Amino acid sequence: MEDELFEGVADTLYIPLSARVYVSKRFPEYFFDPKSLELEGAIPGDSIQRGSNEYTMIASVARYHNLDEMARAYAAEHPACNIVNVGCGLETMFWRVGPDAPSARFYEMDLPDVIDTRRRILGESERDRLIAGDAFDLSWAEGIDVTLPTLVIVSGVFQYFRNADVLGFIADAKKAFADAELVFDATNTKGLEFANKYVRKTGNASALMRCAIDDPAAFAREAGCDLIEVRPFYTAARRILKGKVGLYTRVAMAVTDRTGRAFILHVKL
């Protein structure tokens, strides 16, 4: 039954899904995710939306809006390529970007229990393969044709680890892939403090964030990578949603972009 679809699923998996549903229904001109909307009736309760606000929902989806654009651009430049989502959860990029990238191969990578849940809820196809493993043990790349141009996407993951762990991941990825680029969302020290203050208020001290990047160019040099782009979170959102969202949301998006509290980092491995 539909209402049993998410039985036993951790909140951390369906919170982003709930945000995609929220924004798709209210602001489809900015972000529209029909696959997530298909699952709306199965998301347990409405506690997520009651415990969130307009800004937090848009903040969650802004990540996907930017990553979708970057994945489409990469596939347009490299038609026969891999697009690898590390820490995929219940992400639905394949259904949003896949139709625009018919020659791309998508891979969804996460912990074994998450992959089991994803397989049950979203399934698997020839063009959208599932890989179970530890994100920081790059042996999972053995299931991918690493000779193809590859875009590695790490969304909502690195913040929970230390900078040294992220640098270690990048070093291993450089060895694993012959021709690859990496995109991931990041925050600076001020943004990290702000986020952890909110997390402490919720009582979830186990979810504190640790990775802060204050100088993206210096970080890329330390990682031995070429810096391709540092993209603010809300450039498109501020343009498209101007006059359509509340004052708090508008101010929060502007401050975040101006101070570099959150951004997408794109590097060549």
Side-chain angles (χ1 to χ4, degrees):
M1 294 177 64
E2 185 180 67
D3 58 1
E4 296 176 345
L5 187 62
F6 281 83
E7 184 176 351
V9 177
D11 285 1
T12 51
L13 288 183
Y14 60 77
I15 286 174
L17 174 61
S18 183
R20 295 197 299 273
V21 168
Y22 175 96
V23 175
S24 293
K25 292 174 71 175
R26 287 161 179 79
F27 308 111
E29 66 274 31
Y30 173 60
F31 179 87
F32 186 69
D33 187 347
K35 188 62 177 180
S36 291
L37 287 171
E38 287 179 15
L39 300 172
E40 179 185 10
I43 299 175
D46 61 355
S47 60
I48 296 171
Q49 293 196 17
R50 284 190 285 106
S52 304
N53 58 41
E54 181 183 70
Y55 172 70
T56 59
M57 291 296 198
I58 291 175
S60 178
V61 166
R63 176 188 299 117
Y64 302 116
H65 180 278
N66 286 302
L67 294 175
D68 283 3
E69 283 192 345
M70 297 165 97
R72 287 190 184 97
Y74 188 85
E77 185 177 352
H78 310 280
C81 69
N82 303 314
I83 297 177
V84 184
N85 277 295
V86 177
C88 61
L90 297 178
E91 160 65 321
T92 49
M93 176 185 281
F94 172 69
W95 287 271
R96 299 190 304 269
V97 177
D100 301 323
S103 298
R105 303 177 185 178
F106 288 75
Y107 295 89
E108 319 292 348
M109 187 274 151
D110 214 317
L111 295 169
D113 59 335
V114 176
I115 290 299
D116 288 344
T117 299
R118 183 184 176 93
R119 181 175 284 109
R120 175 169 59 86
I121 294 174
L122 291 171
E124 182 177 17
S125 68
E126 186 61 34
R127 283 191 59 215
D128 189 37
R129 309 298 297 181
L130 306 183
I131 302 177
D134 178 348
F136 289 84
D137 177 358
L138 270 291
S139 62
W140 54 260
E142 294 170 2
I144 299 172
D145 181 356
V146 297
T147 64
L148 288 176
T150 300
L151 182 67
V152 180
I153 299 171
V154 186
S155 174
V157 174
F158 283 162
Q159 293 93 330
Y160 298 97
F161 295 86
R162 302 190 184 280
N163 286 45
D165 298 319
V166 178
L167 291 168
F169 175 95
I170 292 173
D172 290 342
K174 289 170 67 176
K175 297 174 185 175
F177 294 94
D179 177 11
E181 296 176 13
L182 168 69
V183 294
F184 63 96
D185 53 318
T187 185
N188 64 12
T189 298
K190 183 59 71 174
L192 200 69
E193 292 173 357
F194 182 83
N196 282 334
K197 182 178 180 181
Y198 174 78
V199 168
R200 289 189 181 94
K201 279 174 128 180
T202 68
N204 190 9
S206 64
L208 292 178
M209 300 180 185
R210 297 177 174 86
C211 178
I213 298 176
D214 294 311
D215 185 339
F219 182 87
R221 288 194 298 272
E222 185 177 4
C225 298
D226 293 328
L227 179 61
I228 297 173
E229 181 184 7
V230 180
R231 179 181 294 206
F233 251 41
Y234 300 114
T235 301
R238 292 166 63 194
R239 182 185 72 252
I240 297 170
L241 301 179
K242 184 177 181 181
K244 300 177 183 180
V245 295
L247 176 61
Y248 175 82
T249 300
R250 296 199 303 271
V251 171
M253 289 194 298
V255 169
T256 298
D257 278 357
R258 187 175 69 248
T259 60
R261 283 187 181 178
F263 51 90
I264 307 291
L265 192 58
H266 185 183
V267 299
K268 172 73 175 177
L269 294 178

